[in-house]
Amino acid sequence: MAITIDEAVPGPATDDAPPARRRGGRGRMVVEVLLLTALAVAMLFPVLWMLETSIKENRDVYAVPAKFFGFDLTLDHYKDVFVARGGGRSDLSGSFLNSVVVAGASTVLATVLGVPAAWAYSRFTLKAKKDQLFFILSTRFMPPVVVVIPIFLMYRTLGLIDTKLGLVLIYAAFNVPFTIWMMKGFVDEVPAEYEDAAMLDGYTRLQAFWRVTLPLLVPGIAATAVFALIFSWNEFVFAVFLTSSQEVRTAPPAIAGLIGGTTVDWGLVAASAVVFAVPVLVFAYLVRKHLVAGVTLGAVRR
Amino acid sequence: MGTVEAHGLRKAFGDVQALDGVDLDVPDGSFFVVLGPSGAGKTTTLRAIAGLEKLDGGSVHLDGRDATDDTPAARDLAMVFQSYALYPRQTAYDNIASPLRARKASASDIAAAVEQVATLLHIERLLKRRPAQMSGGEMQRVALARALVRRPRAFLMDEPLTNLDLKLRVEMRTELTRIHRALGGTFLYVTNDQVEALSMADHVAVLKDGRVQQVGTPADVYERPANQWVAGFVGSPRISLLACRAEGDRLVGAQGWSLPRPRWTTAEDGRPLLLGLRAEDVSVERRGDVALAGEVYALEPLGDRTVVDVKVGSELVKVKARPHVTGTPGDRVSVTVDLDRAHIFDAGTGLALSTAGR
Ligand SMILES: Nc1ncnc2c1ncn2[C@@H]1O[C@H](COP(=O)(O)OP(=O)(O)OP(=O)(O)O)[C@@H](O)[C@H]1O
Ligand SMILES: [Mg+2]
């Protein structure tokens, strides 16, 4: 959050007694502002440039020297993302649809598998629980590139190469450990006695979980699912290696594929990158309340 | 109908032996109180009986039938949790209705039962609130209501009155006794408050370190404590224990005093003993032949009475006296002892030595 304690807490203190962090005086503040500005420009410039490029006329895109201001606006690039040159749906729009399906399905799968597992790890005494949990986490230590070749070979044998199902499975496999770990923290926060009480009321253990604990986990599930969704949505390495056909391809390799011909349509690249980034932002925005609740759940006294 | 029997319950958490062979025999319709200090294993005992804790050993019989492997739901018990465990997303009404809904009662039956129990516990105006909108005492009463709304085999109550203020606690004590008489169910009630135990129970089991120290009526536990620890735990002010030994027909204190030996002690000469004197069985106001010489150490006025601490040698004897008793520290006093009401314990084992015959 951008709000500091000084701004959030009104009071007379600021008038005569400046807060401690301003003690360095004016010079220090100038340095702070300069550094922060430099950081902001460095971080935001690529985003800004992407946005600009996506709405520039082609001749302005390739103009030398580059135009920051005073270029002509167009939405043609965005149209090109969705509509093919000769009319009908574009290849890119098909890839976006694939991304939606693959990311959505793998997130649902990871959540459906991971949440009950997290509950079990939180509630029951299991043999070598810590070792099991460490093993689960360790599957995330290796970068995808390391395992992609063996997985490629396995998928070829299983006939999962170049299928959406294959991508869904591999993304779910990557997201389940993450879901278990993150959800276990949330389940730990819900007192087990709620379930005990429900069982004495006459419910079975599973009913107790379903009726009492699960509703309390919704913010945590939302937060976890958003992270899983973003991982699946952004994933590139597996998508590139395990899929090839236009019908299966997800957006990241499809957008990357736009670069590499003899001429690069930078306007189209920028526009599709924006379209690619927007759902993630929107989704995170929609569940921001849950994200905050999820992150701060542990701070609430129960 | 509802008897609860526990035989040899054992449960360890890591290297903490929470239950070390707990036996309880709760008769049908009784108000059975398990009394013990914090960490004695009271909650663990209740959870074991409710089927929430996997036992290392022992068995639980309900209505004479082995229920050790039954699920909590199948045991047909109701429990008030020490932490209330009210469902946070549900209103008090829904919380109280939950046991009935789980057992598929009709909506009209539920409404009637909830209304009845709410009236009983004076929580009608809380029914629409959620736990977060209630005070600790209010939550505790809703938790009680969730248990009392049904007629289970037995009610398990884990310190249900601890979070109430003193006035409400005294009120609820009477209320619970009344409710118990009105409903006629079996109550297994756990507390660390000896006043609750003595005032409400018809049976008391004193628990310490996962072991039952003594079972009996409140009078048994108070007047015939089985060992030194029970004598010390039950009773306020605390019983005074003086080191001594028997010599012929005398009891000779380590601090130099000598009293006639009570007829009923069986200890052989020379064995280290402890003489236990309850504050109401000694007096600084009455005159008597059997007395200890000491000096006033402190006065503790409590309104309805004053507790006088008398130093006998280097040991303290607590004496109950009238409210306006006077004295200043250092005054010499004589403490009259009612030997017929005294307790004698073996200093080594702590066990009471033949207090029968009284
Ligand atoms: N889940 C647990 N994990 C580890 N130790 C436990 C657990 N539950 C209880 N214990 C230990 O077992 C012992 C008995 O605990 P229990 O909760 O039964 O005590 P209690 O008599 O109910 O005390 P209190 O009056 O404080 O509620 C304590 O030493 C406690 O630390
Ligand atoms: Mg307890």
Side-chain angles (χ1 to χ4, degrees):
Chain A
M1 269 294 192
I3 284 189
T4 66
I5 301 287
D6 296 336
E7 292 156 0
V9 181
T14 37
D15 292 345
D16 4 78
R21 74 185 173 84
R22 300 226 199 284
R23 187 108 1 110
R26 238 190 148 61
R28 176 155 168 195
M29 220 177 92
V30 170
V31 173
E32 266 179 28
V33 168
L34 280 178
L35 282 174
L36 287 173
T37 312
L39 190 69
V41 169
M43 302 279 288
L44 291 179
F45 181 76
V47 178
L48 203 69
W49 196 243
M50 176 178 81
L51 283 171
E52 268 199 15
T53 307
S54 74
I55 50 173
K56 275 180 189 170
E57 284 284 6
N58 258 337
R59 58 184 139 64
D60 291 331
V61 169
Y62 297 100
V64 180
K67 282 189 182 173
F68 282 97
F69 308 104
F71 50 81
D72 294 323
L73 287 178
T74 174
L75 286 177
D76 282 353
H77 301 310
Y78 285 97
K79 198 179 120 219
D80 290 345
V81 171
F82 294 105
V83 185
R85 281 276 147 77
R89 267 187 25 210
S90 70
D91 288 352
L92 259 180
S93 71
S95 295
F96 275 111
L97 201 63
N98 290 339
S99 267
V100 169
V101 170
V102 168
S106 66
T107 300
V108 169
L109 190 60
T111 306
V112 166
L113 292 175
V115 171
W119 174 69
Y121 274 113
S122 169
R123 291 291 189 252
F124 299 103
T125 40
L126 301 166
K127 276 217 184 80
K129 175 147 79 178
K130 285 213 173 110
D131 299 326
Q132 287 189 31
L133 282 167
F134 181 78
F135 171 74
I136 289 171
L137 188 67
S138 72
T139 60
R140 290 293 297 250
F141 292 170
M142 253 184 288
V145 232
V146 176
V147 286
V148 73
I149 302 298
I151 286 176
F152 181 88
L153 296 176
M154 283 193 284
Y155 267 33
R156 202 173 51 186
T157 317
L158 294 171
L160 286 171
I161 287 289
D162 205 17
T163 62
K164 278 184 224 164
L165 178 65
L167 280 188
V168 169
L169 289 179
I170 195 76
Y171 291 169
F174 257 71
N175 276 327
V176 163
F178 166 76
T179 305
I180 291 178
W181 267 82
M182 187 148 164
M183 284 311 300
K184 181 174 176 294
F186 287 109
V187 181
D188 285 344
E189 289 298 322
V190 177
E193 283 195 341
Y194 294 155
E195 286 163 39
D196 294 341
M199 285 195 284
L200 275 154
D201 283 351
Y203 293 109
T204 65
R205 193 175 260 293
L206 279 179
Q207 283 173 325
F209 166 68
W210 185 259
R211 294 181 52 97
V212 178
T213 307
L214 199 60
L216 297 173
L217 292 178
V218 167
I221 293 176
T224 311
V226 165
F227 282 112
L229 193 72
I230 290 173
F231 167 84
S232 309
W233 181 260
N234 288 345
E235 208 288 327
F236 178 73
V237 174
F238 285 123
V240 153
F241 279 89
L242 301 180
T243 65
S244 50
S245 68
Q246 182 51 49
E247 292 76 56
V248 178
R249 220 157 220 215
T250 53
I255 295 170
L258 296 177
I259 312 168
T262 41
T263 57
V264 178
D265 186 350
W266 286 113
L268 179 63
V269 172
S272 50
V274 171
V275 173
F276 182 70
V278 162
V280 173
L281 294 177
V282 169
F283 208 77
Y285 182 78
L286 283 179
V287 299
R288 73 197 182 284
K289 205 178 75 195
H290 291 300
L291 279 174
V292 174
V295 172
T296 58
L297 190 66
V300 179
R301 207 184 152 272
R302 46 170 201 269
Chain B
M1 224 349 236
T3 65
V4 177
E5 288 158 70
H7 298 295
L9 301 183
R10 300 182 60 76
K11 173 78 191 177
F13 295 104
D15 45 8
V16 180
Q17 192 69 40
L19 301 183
D20 196 4
V22 171
D23 293 301
L24 292 177
D25 190 348
V26 184
D28 183 31
S30 62
F31 200 123
F32 194 108
V33 172
V34 176
L35 173 66
S38 189
K42 305 181 297 292
T43 299
T44 312
T45 304
L46 281 196
R47 291 177 56 85
I49 290 171
L52 298 172
E53 210 74 70
K54 199 168 151 24
L55 285 168
D56 301 335
S59 64
V60 175
H61 289 252
L62 300 172
D63 286 337
R65 211 180 50 77
D66 190 345
T68 315
D69 297 321
D70 285 1
T71 63
R75 296 183 190 214
D76 188 19
L77 301 166
M79 180 156 168
V80 182
F81 288 80
Q82 191 167 1
S83 60
Y84 326 130
L86 295 176
Y87 311 127
R89 291 287 179 81
Q90 302 182 9
T91 61
Y93 183 96
D94 290 331
N95 265 284
I96 298 171
S98 171
L100 301 174
R101 291 199 178 125
R103 285 158 212 274
K104 311 240 177 331
S106 74
S108 59
D109 287 354
I110 292 175
V114 173
E115 193 188 327
Q116 197 187 354
V117 76
T119 317
L120 191 70
L121 290 163
H122 314 298
I123 49 170
E124 298 97 325
R125 59 187 186 84
L126 302 177
L127 288 178
K128 288 207 179 67
R129 296 204 210 157
R130 284 191 281 122
Q133 303 160 321
M134 292 185 244
S135 73
E138 288 168 341
M139 286 196 270
Q140 210 147 25
R141 274 184 289 165
V142 172
L144 262 174
R146 182 171 64 183
L148 293 171
V149 74
R150 214 163 63 76
R151 292 289 155 272
R153 266 208 186 99
F155 299 95
L156 312 180
M157 304 191 175
D158 196 351
E159 313 200 16
L161 305 186
T162 28
N163 289 310
L164 305 183
D165 63 43
L166 189 62
K167 178 173 164 289
L168 202 53
R169 186 156 58 204
V170 173
E171 262 173 45
M172 285 298 293
R173 241 187 255 152
T174 332
E175 278 292 278
L176 267 183
T177 323
R178 185 179 62 78
I179 290 168
H180 173 247
R181 235 179 283 121
L183 300 182
T186 307
F187 281 39
L188 178 52
Y189 184 106
V190 152
T191 180
N192 59 25
D193 179 349
Q194 43 145 336
V195 181
E196 277 178 24
L198 297 181
S199 63
M200 301 198 291
D202 43 42
H203 295 72
V204 180
V206 185
L207 193 67
K208 181 205 172 205
D209 296 341
R211 278 197 209 130
V212 176
Q213 305 288 315
Q214 183 174 3
V215 187
T217 63
D220 286 337
V221 171
Y222 187 80
E223 288 167 19
R224 290 173 286 281
N227 59 42
Q228 173 199 337
W229 188 85
V230 172
F233 186 67
V234 181
S236 169
R238 225 177 131 83
I239 196 169
S240 310
L241 294 168
L242 307 179
C244 60
R245 61 189 191 283
E247 274 177 22
D249 58 355
R250 303 294 290 176
L251 216 51
V252 179
Q255 303 297 321
W257 47 263
S258 165
L259 296 174
R261 172 179 174 154
R263 294 177 309 290
W264 39 263
T265 41
T266 51
E268 69 275 18
D269 284 6
R271 174 140 53 126
L273 304 174
L274 288 171
L275 174 67
L277 299 172
R278 289 216 187 270
E280 64 271 24
D281 300 333
V282 285
S283 171
V284 289
E285 293 148 310
R286 260 184 293 124
R287 290 270 148 257
D289 304 336
V290 184
L292 301 169
E295 61 183 51
V296 174
Y297 182 71
L299 290 174
E300 204 184 329
L302 295 173
D304 60 334
R305 69 201 131 99
T306 295
V307 174
V308 186
D309 289 2
V310 178
K311 210 158 188 180
V312 176
S314 62
E315 291 175 323
L316 274 187
V317 177
K318 290 191 174 283
V319 181
K320 246 183 223 176
R322 278 180 292 119
H324 303 298
V325 75
T326 51
T328 34
D331 288 357
R332 309 230 29 104
V333 285
S334 157
V335 179
T336 313
V337 177
D338 182 353
L339 269 184
D340 288 338
R341 300 193 57 82
H343 306 268
I344 305 242
F345 304 99
D346 185 307
T349 62
L351 291 179
L353 294 177
S354 171
T355 49
R358 281 196 292 153

